[in-house]
Amino acid sequence: MTGLFSSFSLKDITLRNRIAVSPMCQYQAVDGFINDWHSAHYSMLARGGAGLVVVEATAVAPEGRITPGDVGLWSDEHTAGLSSIAAAIKTAGAVAGIQLAHAGRKAGCTPPWQGGAPLDRDDALAWEPVGPSAVPFVPGNDYIPREMTKDNIRQTQQDFARAAERACQAGFQWLELHFAHGFLAQSFLSPQSNTRSDEYGGSLEGRARFLLETVAEVRKFWPDNFPLTVRLGVVEFDDCPEHSFSESLKVIGWLKDAGVDFVDVGLSLATPGENIPWAANFMVPWAARVRREKNIPVGTSWMITQAKEANEFIQDGKVDVIFFARTLLANPHWPYRAARELEITDPHAVLPTPYAYWLQNWSE
Ligand SMILES: NC(=O)C1=CN(Cc2ccccc2)CCC1
């Protein structure tokens, strides 16, 4: 019987359950290097019982960081630190995943708790953002990205590919390309941000070209037996969400043909004014449609907090994996709580032995 605690196999990788730790930016790195914060953070989450732990948005180039505190994999020097993170995740019994990102025109900002605005131009840590077109994320704002040349595009695609190679060397076995949240790849896809008239703009094929060429480059360096996945913003909540969704379905078909094994169904966040219908589980129906209409395994996230509901989404074949974020930040042992609530056999067994032993006969 499939459910939240049934295993999930994709290519040669098997998750012990359907609970994934969603990539959550910590903004604690220096020059892209991880430190004790990340080691404790990811060990804590992996020991909580999730089947998959995806490391936060990891920049493929320095100018692709959301903030100066983003983790990076743009240099061989970054590999060692991340290999210790991958090892810690695997030792805890979870599959080690990593999200590779380039924030494009949304790069170069302060972390949300400092307002999330672009760094002052005279800040020594600031840099010029890049994007498909010289169109600012905030209309009328003077934080305008430099329009990427074709050489810049090719270089960034290589950056993704080399970062994927490093991720494999570091021991990660699940790769997620960040094609959502208004970051670089999403900004190529959205006509709101991509006004190019060359082959990287205009038609849907043109706007999707950056994504498909990036997947093709990554495919050369990421082992075929490990899942190659994308987080894709599948819907823009503008005056016609069905339009952007139908375009996304076409793009997902092309991504699947290019070798993408799984789609983590996310938000577009391509423009600041989106009227997002925030509500519990609101992305599940969209993910279920992708799964059914494109016959590809999917995951999703956003305000999913209840074990019984999550279990039903899996049982009903709506989604294959559920990415939890704040639910797990609030309680890293939430998988244990969920196991008890769903009355699976040996709920304590989702935790490592030193915890499981003492909890086997414990009832709160
Ligand atoms: N790395 C990412 O994909 C990020 C996504 N965010 C969207 C978000 C909006 C609202 C609530 C949570 C996340 C903000 C921080 C960075």
Side-chain angles (χ1 to χ4, degrees):
M1 178 67 157
T2 60
L4 195 61
F5 287 91
S6 54
S7 64
F8 176 68
S9 293
L10 186 59
K11 294 294 186 68
D12 288 357
I13 297 302
T14 296
L15 309 185
R16 60 182 166 183
N17 59 50
R18 308 308 182 93
I19 300 169
V21 176
S22 195
M24 294 178 272
C25 293
Q26 301 298 299
Y27 308 121
Q28 300 302 312
V30 177
D31 293 330
F33 291 96
I34 59 107
N35 52 50
D36 290 347
W37 173 270
H38 305 89
S39 302
H41 172 69
Y42 288 108
S43 294
M44 171 188 81
L45 289 165
R47 293 172 181 175
L52 167 67
V53 178
V54 183
V55 168
E56 65 198 85
T58 296
V60 301
E63 74 277 0
R65 292 173 291 174
I66 302 163
T67 77
D70 286 31
V71 174
L73 198 46
W74 65 78
S75 157
D76 290 341
E77 275 108 307
H78 291 122
T79 306
L82 280 167
S83 61
S84 67
I85 298 292
I89 293 169
K90 291 151 94 170
T91 302
V95 167
I98 187 166
Q99 183 187 61
L100 297 182
H102 189 303
R105 67 180 188 167
K106 295 176 92 169
C109 295
T110 61
W113 46 84
Q114 291 173 17
L119 293 165
D120 294 337
R121 248 30 64 83
D122 57 6
D123 187 317
L125 293 175
W127 63 86
E128 186 185 28
V130 298
S133 305
V135 177
F137 172 61
V138 178
N141 192 291
D142 65 354
Y143 193 62
I144 299 170
R146 188 178 76 249
E147 177 172 321
M148 293 171 81
T149 64
K150 290 185 190 174
D151 281 348
N152 295 153
I153 287 172
R154 271 186 285 278
Q155 179 59 57
T156 300
Q157 291 168 337
Q158 284 308 307
D159 292 342
F160 269 96
R162 304 318 298 261
E165 183 182 38
R166 296 186 190 105
C168 182
Q169 289 164 350
F172 290 96
Q173 297 181 318
W174 180 287
L175 192 69
E176 177 172 285
L177 303 182
H178 203 330
F179 287 176
H181 296 172
F183 297 147
L184 186 65
Q186 185 87 54
S187 72
F188 267 95
L189 201 50
S190 172
Q192 304 283 340
S193 37
N194 179 351
T195 59
R196 298 179 76 99
S197 54
D198 65 6
E199 69 266 37
Y200 289 98
S203 67
L204 180 60
E205 289 78 0
R207 288 179 278 120
R209 192 177 310 283
F210 177 82
L211 290 82
L212 295 170
E213 288 181 348
T214 299
V215 166
E217 287 309 306
V218 166
R219 193 70 276 181
K220 296 173 185 171
F221 292 90
W222 181 255
D224 193 51
N225 61 322
F226 289 166
L228 170 55
T229 83
V230 299
R231 172 167 283 187
L232 183 72
V234 299
V235 55
E236 293 190 23
F237 290 105
D238 52 21
D239 49 359
C240 183
E242 286 297 334
H243 172 69
S244 54
F245 184 70
S246 66
E247 285 200 331
S248 298
L249 288 179
K250 290 194 188 94
V251 173
I252 288 167
W254 299 336
L255 288 167
K256 187 179 171 185
D257 294 342
V260 168
D261 302 304
F262 177 102
V263 177
D264 177 2
V265 170
L267 291 175
S268 163
L269 301 180
T271 57
E274 256 191 294
N275 183 23
I276 295 169
W278 298 113
N281 313 316
F282 79 99
M283 283 306 289
V284 171
W286 297 98
R289 285 177 65 186
V290 170
R291 188 176 189 271
R292 189 172 58 249
E293 295 184 35
K294 303 313 291 184
N295 187 27
I296 188 168
V298 303
T300 198
S301 47
W302 297 103
M303 303 172 78
I304 304 173
T305 62
Q306 302 304 308
K308 285 191 170 64
E309 293 173 342
N311 192 50
E312 282 165 16
F313 297 148
I314 305 293
Q315 280 177 338
D316 298 346
K318 290 182 174 165
V319 296
D320 300 281
V321 176
I322 296 177
F323 289 75
F324 294 92
R326 282 174 275 201
T327 303
L328 289 167
L329 280 190
N331 176 4
H333 287 188
W334 183 85
Y336 166 64
R337 288 271 163 229
R340 286 186 53 169
E341 185 182 330
L342 295 171
E343 297 178 341
I344 68 160
T345 51
D346 298 340
H348 53 279
V350 300
L351 297 176
T353 303
Y355 304 164
Y357 173 80
W358 295 105
L359 294 173
Q360 58 192 326
N361 300 316
W362 184 72
S363 61
E364 188 175 10

